Amino acid sequence: MPGAILSPYKQVPETKHDLDWAELVTLDLSEFDRPGGKESLAKQLDHAAQHVGFFYVKNFGISQEEVDRQFALGREFYDLPLEEKLKYHNIKDLEGGEYNGYRPAGLRQLTENVRDNIQVYNLPKFDGHHPREHPPVLRDHIKEIEAFSRKCHELVVNKLLRLFAIILELPDEEQLVKQHVYDDKGEDHLRYMHYAARSPEENKKVGELYAPGHTDLGSITLLFRQPVAALQILNSKNEWKWVKPQDETITINICDALSAITGGYFKSSIHRVRTPPADQAHIDRLGVLYFARPNNHVVLDPIENSPLLNRLDLKSNPFTELGKHLTTEEWVKVRQTQQQRRNKAPPKISEDGKYEYEKKDLEIIPGLHAQIHN
């Protein structure tokens, strides 16, 4: 059977360059169920959630072998011939805000002769609402993929949602968990992501970036350890810092929907993907990620029963300020439609990596535009 046997996945060595690494807190989730453990973790998390938007977790209950199996599945998929991968790509769905399945590289024209170098394969969560054909290499392992997807949600996402609820002083520790039920209809997904290495000449033309500064649209994103250094975050001093690949951790970032429902108290982290350092610049970069979002029916208005948010008078967000009360489903559709819309013209790119797009290309809904963080 095609794809039935996977050869082991071996991660490449880390860079030897001494980069300007970000200082990020690491939460030990083995403390979660110990007496006082949740409260202690919430205190550790509070500053990072407010001011940084990025942190690590360790001892999260998923073995390195399970993680490596997902990297191996991603590798096997991207090793398929392009014509085989394209069977799982639908440009009309993509431009209409449906982002599951395959997105090939090269859909965005960045300069006259350089296109984007990012391939994506998204597997929607297994909630019964997203029937989809997968290539045999993934279909043969679909039960294993589902088990991994569910573990990401139950062992990591739900625990973090409980910590956020403690920080917000919510009367029910399960309040956010109840808005992110795995088996309810939602747009969460597991992603295999591939960045193809470019030539030095091409990298220079696009400002040494694979992806300019942006935020993610959901609640939180889980990035499994990626030894090819490329991810950078924008800190509170407006400085770009590299995110170090820590052994046996997941890098977590907070996203737009969680920021919206907390009136901006939790920071939607600004990050970008840069050309890797010289000793890794020739290596293709493979990522395994899990994107968690509120269930589709959840209205992304600020939470009304948080004593903390009420004391701080955080009762609005960019949606409500426009008189909009978007559900997650509506937000995901309009944001992903904007992300995949063909630009009228390539961006203007400066030598130091500043991207400038036509304003209409960044419009999500009237009055609300995506930001490119330079």
Side-chain angles (χ1 to χ4, degrees), residues 13 18 32 40 78 93 98 119 123 134 153 169-170 179 181 192 196-197 205 211 238 256 285 290 325 333:
D18 184 18
F32 188 87
S40 175
Y78 288 115
D93 281 355
E98 167 62 56
Q119 297 179 75
L123 294 107
H134 298 292
H153 203 95
E169 303 169 16
L170 297 179
Q179 295 181 333
V181 176
Y192 306 130
K205 289 177 182 176
N238 216 37
D256 296 341
R285 186 173 186 265
Y290 182 83
H325 302 277
K333 185 175 180 62

Side-chain angles (χ1 to χ4, degrees), residues 27-62:
L27 301 184
D28 184 350
L29 291 187
S30 68
E31 300 289 325
F32 188 87
D33 291 318
R34 294 177 184 170
K38 287 180 289 190
E39 291 73 19
S40 175
L41 289 170
K43 284 182 181 178
Q44 293 176 53
L45 176 58
D46 191 14
H47 182 271
Q50 283 188 73
H51 302 290
V52 185
F54 260 87
F55 55 96
Y56 301 108
V57 297
K58 66 179 182 179
N59 297 324
F60 42 84
I62 304 173

Side-chain angles (χ1 to χ4, degrees), residues 224-335:
F224 287 87
R225 181 183 176 274
Q226 168 49 259
V228 179
L231 179 63
Q232 292 185 323
I233 65 169
L234 191 65
N235 69 11
S236 57
K237 297 179 181 178
N238 216 37
E239 301 165 327
W240 289 107
K241 299 283 187 178
W242 296 82
V243 177
K244 190 173 180 62
Q246 302 278 16
D247 285 344
E248 298 184 339
T249 64
I250 306 172
T251 304
I252 309 289
N253 67 277
I254 292 172
C255 313
D256 296 341
L258 188 60
S259 183
I261 65 173
T262 61
Y265 182 80
F266 291 147
K267 176 182 172 63
S268 187
S269 61
I270 300 166
H271 54 286
R272 68 182 186 182
V273 184
R274 197 187 183 284
T275 301
D279 59 350
Q280 294 183 323
H282 62 289
I283 303 171
D284 289 354
R285 186 173 186 265
L286 176 64
V288 172
L289 306 94
Y290 182 83
F291 293 83
R293 297 165 174 177
N295 294 130
N296 279 7
H297 70 275
V298 174
V299 178
L300 300 179
D301 287 359
I303 296 167
E304 294 182 348
N305 66 336
S306 163
L308 173 67
L309 298 185
N310 288 333
R311 283 199 305 275
L312 297 174
D313 199 32
L314 295 175
K315 298 178 179 178
S316 67
N317 63 34
F319 308 146
T320 61
E321 287 166 7
L322 292 173
K324 301 290 185 182
H325 302 277
L326 298 180
T327 65
T328 302
E329 186 171 27
E330 291 168 335
W331 165 237
V332 169
K333 185 175 180 62
V334 295
R335 181 67 170 109

Side-chain angles (χ1 to χ4, degrees), residues 13-143:
E14 292 182 23
T15 180
K16 293 192 166 43
H17 287 254
D18 184 18
L19 303 176
D20 189 9
W21 300 111
E23 293 184 14
L24 301 179
V25 69
T26 301
L27 301 184
D28 184 350
L29 291 187
S30 68
E31 300 289 325
F32 188 87
D33 291 318
R34 294 177 184 170
K38 287 180 289 190
E39 291 73 19
S40 175
L41 289 170
K43 284 182 181 178
Q44 293 176 53
L45 176 58
D46 191 14
H47 182 271
Q50 283 188 73
H51 302 290
V52 185
F54 260 87
F55 55 96
Y56 301 108
V57 297
K58 66 179 182 179
N59 297 324
F60 42 84
I62 304 173
S63 70
Q64 189 59 48
E65 180 183 4
E66 290 173 285
V67 173
D68 288 344
R69 293 274 297 179
Q70 294 305 309
F71 275 98
L73 285 164
R75 175 200 63 202
E76 294 297 309
F77 173 75
Y78 288 115
D79 281 349
L80 293 173
L82 179 59
E83 58 268 26
E84 182 65 22
K85 290 182 286 192
L86 286 173
K87 293 177 183 177
Y88 305 92
H89 167 59
N90 185 316
I91 189 64
K92 288 185 178 179
D93 281 355
L94 192 63
E95 292 178 343
E98 167 62 56
Y99 203 10
N100 290 317
Y102 177 57
R103 197 204 80 168
L107 293 183
R108 287 191 175 274
Q109 189 81 39
L110 300 178
T111 72
E112 186 178 341
N113 51 14
V114 180
R115 290 180 172 270
D116 78 87
N117 64 337
I118 305 169
Q119 297 179 75
V120 168
Y121 192 86
N122 285 338
L123 294 107
K125 65 173 181 168
F126 297 81
D127 58 10
H129 298 282
H130 298 86
R132 174 166 287 277
E133 276 294 312
H134 298 292
V137 68
L138 301 181
R139 193 168 64 238
D140 290 348
H141 298 274
I142 204 67
K143 291 297 182 186

